[in-house]
Amino acid sequence: MDSFLLRPLTARIATNGPTVRPVWFLWEDAAFWVLTGPWARLAGQVRDDPRVALVVDECDVETGLVRQVIARGRAELLPFDVARGRRKLARYLGPDEDRWDERFVRYLYGDPAVRGTVWLRVRPASLQAQDLSYAVGP
């Protein structure tokens, strides 16, 4: 499961409402880390009700590879730190920050007090991994 979650896949996080949104994430210290702030409603929704569900999956009809991880738990908002932010963004954008779109550089180095950047951390109360892969015919 860890090797699957270390890949740069997109997760979908659901909050009470219900609201579902795609997010980039970092799987680290047995938790999902999502960068958020006032530009999105996610932080406010978690403040109102911290219960969330999160799904990371892949489906390749060419090979029949179908895998998923489903997490449920309570989210918490934590102060942003640049080192973790760099690790998260590098897994999606590559290690060369000079090639990153300027908005991602601003997320990383902008003053969190001014931008309002925070981490949403989900330490799963339940975590389920499934391999639903199938054989592809000739």
Side-chain angles (χ1 to χ4, degrees):
M1 181 173 57
D2 284 333
S3 62
F4 176 73
L5 292 174
L6 291 172
R7 294 178 48 214
L9 299 168
T10 300
R12 279 155 303 284
I13 189 166
T15 57
N16 193 7
T19 301
V20 178
R21 69 190 33 96
V23 294
W24 286 354
F25 68 94
L26 180 67
W27 173 250
E28 190 171 87
D29 300 328
F32 292 93
W33 297 82
V34 176
L35 187 145
T36 192
W39 58 85
R41 295 184 309 180
L42 183 58
Q45 289 172 320
V46 165
R47 280 186 197 99
D48 291 344
D49 186 346
R51 295 173 299 164
V52 299
L54 185 139
V55 174
V56 181
D57 63 349
E58 66 178 341
C59 177
D60 185 335
V61 295
E62 298 284 324
T63 64
L65 184 64
V66 180
R67 295 185 295 186
Q68 59 185 235
V69 171
I70 302 169
R72 289 181 179 82
R74 298 177 75 78
E76 57 186 321
L77 299 170
L78 299 171
F80 179 76
D81 66 278
V82 172
R84 181 171 279 123
R86 184 178 296 112
R87 289 191 300 275
K88 180 208 171 227
L89 291 172
R91 68 181 275 191
Y92 291 96
L93 302 171
D96 185 355
E97 292 179 29
D98 292 334
R99 299 191 64 195
W100 294 5
D101 183 288
E102 181 60 33
R103 67 186 156 148
F104 299 112
V105 175
R106 283 194 308 270
Y107 288 142
L108 190 59
Y109 296 112
D111 183 350
V114 173
R115 281 193 59 77
T117 308
V118 294
W119 283 115
L120 180 143
R121 179 176 70 183
V122 179
R123 288 194 186 275
S126 70
L127 191 62
Q128 178 184 13
Q130 293 184 352
D131 186 336
L132 304 170
S133 298
Y134 56 90
V136 177

